[in-house]
Amino acid sequence: MDRRSLPPWPLAALAAIPVFVWWLGWYPGFASSDSIDQFGMIQSGTIFDYHPAAHTLYMGVLSLGGAQPGIVTLFQLLAFGGLLAYAAHRLIAAGVPKWLAIGAAWALGLSPAVAPTTITLWKDVPFGLFFLWAWIELLAQAVSPKLVDRKWPAVRLGLALAGLWLFRGNGPITVLATLAVLAWIYRRRLRALLIPLATTAISVALVTGPVYALADVSGSPIEPATVFLPDVAGSYNAEPETFLASDIALMDDLAPLTTWTGLYDCYDSTPLLFDPSFDVEPVRASPGEYRSLGLRVFLRDADSVLGHRLCAANFLYSPAHPEDAYLHRPPYDIAPNDVGLNREAISDRAFSATDRLWRWAEVDSRLWLTWRPAILILPALAAIAFFAIYPGKRRFLIPSSLFLAHTLNVAGTSPAQEFRYAYPLYLTAALTILLTWPAVAERMSRARPSNSP
């Protein structure tokens, strides 16, 4: 076969090889206390929905009932490679050169942040892969507008959006916001959205209905009011005099006021919310009261709430790492456990090579380059602004609607500076930036003097 005729997608798919090397060295992958908790559920057969039950069931099926967790992470890296191939195909159709589309895929595969995250037993990984899939389907519609009227592309988009809905608690926010923007974009042909909308709704209903019933899923997801308790803490620490006695009584039911002040940190709310003295049961018992508390606090002290959110979302827009903050990454070690999650390298050479890369990337002075997602998110936002003002490229606002919706979602709901929250944005930001190439190439061709006499 002529080398020039080789399709680009296999070369893009091979970008998963570096991730596979990590998998060989860190088998079965990275795991946190949440992972251990979920595998405990899988092995006991008692599944609660405070971790997304769809993710727990997904890991249970792939790991053969919890016996082979490495299959889960292997599946994730293979799906990652497949999506990179699909993305390269769609990017080239959009006017991105083959070498650039393939190079971007390899840059993601070689990233010291992307590779270990992709082999982590976290819900954020399949969520990020569903997010990348949805972005690619929207890009395909932007490049080929007739696809929006075809059944299978619409079904694929609906399935990807259903994955976003099911695999993270804040996923529905991104899905609904994206569908709202798409409804405006396709306002003259709303029927085109019926198939993806129906596919999403039916898929979610089937999983949360019959599938959850068969698996005997119990409990409920995290109460949304809990997510906004750090906003209340931010306001109380900034302007305590604005709080009414009834507000303080609600706060005191959760934790002593000394906890609200002593453990509050705008960069990381987890020490506050997960302190032993902090009891969220009253929130579950009376969610309406705490939702009202959060709304009252925002309406009367919006500047403190927004200040808290800007601080919490610092990792999204600031490449510089604050000295008094910690950017959470996959834990280096797997904590001792009795569910069989233990590190057993398949290849010592693979571990040695990737361990050196891990330690090099962990140095605080390099975090802006190796782990801080702002290094890609900021240029991607600039690219989206460019699409908005460049008439010939406004079609790229279709996939960008998903990116913007989730960026705002992460900024508004993240409790801490954690790379995993930005993992889907990191993947799609790199690809969004590439979409500026067609416009740049077009301008360069116009500026190039003609050789004709």
Side-chain angles (χ1 to χ4, degrees):
M1 178 184 292
D2 185 351
R3 185 178 296 179
R4 289 173 297 180
S5 67
L6 183 69
W9 66 264
L11 297 176
L14 290 175
I17 288 177
V19 188
F20 181 66
V21 173
W22 279 84
W23 184 80
L24 291 173
W26 300 75
Y27 181 89
F30 294 82
S32 67
S33 58
D34 286 353
S35 313
I36 294 169
D37 191 25
Q38 287 179 274
F39 270 85
M41 292 187 213
I42 291 167
Q43 294 176 8
S44 70
T46 303
I47 296 175
F48 295 95
D49 200 24
Y50 53 80
H51 298 299
H55 180 240
T56 305
L57 293 172
Y58 150 90
M59 292 201 298
V61 170
L62 285 179
S63 67
L64 308 180
Q68 298 293 334
I71 298 177
V72 178
T73 48
L74 178 62
F75 175 80
Q76 288 173 179
L77 76 88
L78 292 175
F80 173 72
L83 286 168
L84 289 180
Y86 189 25
H89 170 69
R90 293 301 186 185
L91 286 166
I92 292 166
V96 176
K98 292 181 182 180
W99 65 267
L100 190 56
I102 295 168
W106 274 88
L108 288 172
L110 290 167
S111 165
V114 169
T117 302
T118 302
I119 59 166
T120 301
L121 296 164
W122 277 340
K123 59 184 176 290
D124 309 85
V125 180
F127 177 88
L129 298 176
F130 274 115
F131 190 91
L132 178 56
W133 183 19
W135 185 90
I136 297 168
E137 296 297 346
L138 290 171
L139 174 62
Q141 291 187 7
V143 174
S144 304
K146 291 182 180 179
L147 285 181
V148 75
D149 297 313
R150 292 175 56 185
K151 179 172 67 174
W152 291 117
V155 168
R156 291 197 302 267
L157 175 61
L159 290 173
L161 293 176
L164 297 184
W165 188 292
L166 291 166
F167 275 77
R168 270 202 65 86
N170 62 349
I173 299 173
T174 295
V175 172
L176 293 174
T178 302
L179 287 173
V181 174
L182 292 178
W184 183 84
I185 292 173
Y186 295 111
R187 58 192 179 279
R188 292 187 177 87
R189 46 197 300 208
L190 282 174
R191 291 181 59 184
L193 293 181
L194 290 179
I195 293 179
L197 182 61
T199 303
T200 300
I202 292 170
S203 301
V204 171
L206 285 174
V207 173
T208 59
V211 173
Y212 279 19
L214 286 172
D216 198 22
V217 173
S218 56
S220 58
I222 295 175
E223 165 55 43
T226 307
V227 175
F228 300 103
L229 290 176
D231 297 340
V232 176
S235 176
Y236 184 75
N237 277 270
E239 298 187 20
E241 68 279 1
T242 63
F243 280 70
L244 306 175
S246 57
D247 299 333
I248 292 176
L250 287 172
M251 294 169 62
D252 201 46
D253 285 342
L254 302 180
L257 294 181
T258 52
T259 299
W260 288 88
T261 55
L263 295 181
Y264 171 72
D265 179 353
C266 69
Y267 289 124
D268 192 346
S269 300
T270 50
L272 170 65
L273 297 179
F274 289 92
D275 187 77
S277 67
F278 204 100
D279 180 14
V280 296
E281 285 303 321
V283 181
R284 297 193 184 103
S286 303
E289 288 189 283
Y290 286 93
R291 292 176 193 171
S292 297
L293 172 63
L295 181 59
R296 288 197 304 273
V297 167
F298 176 75
L299 291 176
R300 72 183 177 221
D301 190 17
D303 58 332
S304 294
V305 172
L306 292 175
H308 165 79
R309 283 296 158 190
L310 281 172
C311 179
N314 167 276
F315 68 116
L316 297 177
Y317 61 82
S318 174
H321 182 63
E323 291 183 3
D324 53 344
Y326 179 74
L327 181 66
H328 294 264
R329 284 87 81 189
Y332 182 89
D333 293 311
I334 299 176
N337 62 84
D338 56 4
V339 299
L341 286 179
N342 300 300
R343 177 101 9 92
E344 297 176 0
I346 295 175
S347 167
D348 290 336
R349 286 186 177 182
F351 174 77
S352 178
T354 52
D355 183 56
R356 286 196 297 271
L357 180 58
W358 172 281
R359 294 179 185 278
W360 175 84
E362 285 284 288
V363 177
D364 282 351
S365 62
R366 296 193 189 105
L367 290 179
W368 67 273
L369 174 65
T370 57
W371 280 99
R372 299 280 293 182
I375 193 173
L376 288 181
I377 291 176
L378 289 178
L381 292 174
I384 293 170
F386 172 73
F387 302 151
I389 63 176
Y390 194 88
K393 305 306 172 193
R394 284 180 183 158
R395 65 183 185 275
F396 294 145
L397 293 176
I398 294 175
S400 299
S401 64
L402 176 70
F403 182 88
L404 285 173
H406 196 58
T407 300
L408 292 173
N409 186 357
V410 174
T413 59
S414 292
Q417 311 245 324
E418 296 204 32
F419 178 82
R420 64 189 177 110
Y421 299 147
Y423 174 72
L425 298 174
Y426 199 84
L427 298 179
T428 51
L431 307 182
T432 299
I433 296 166
L434 300 189
L435 292 175
T436 59
W437 179 275
V440 172
E442 183 179 304
R443 286 214 159 196
M444 290 175 64
S445 65
R446 287 179 182 174
R448 191 177 299 123
S450 174
N451 293 327
S452 59

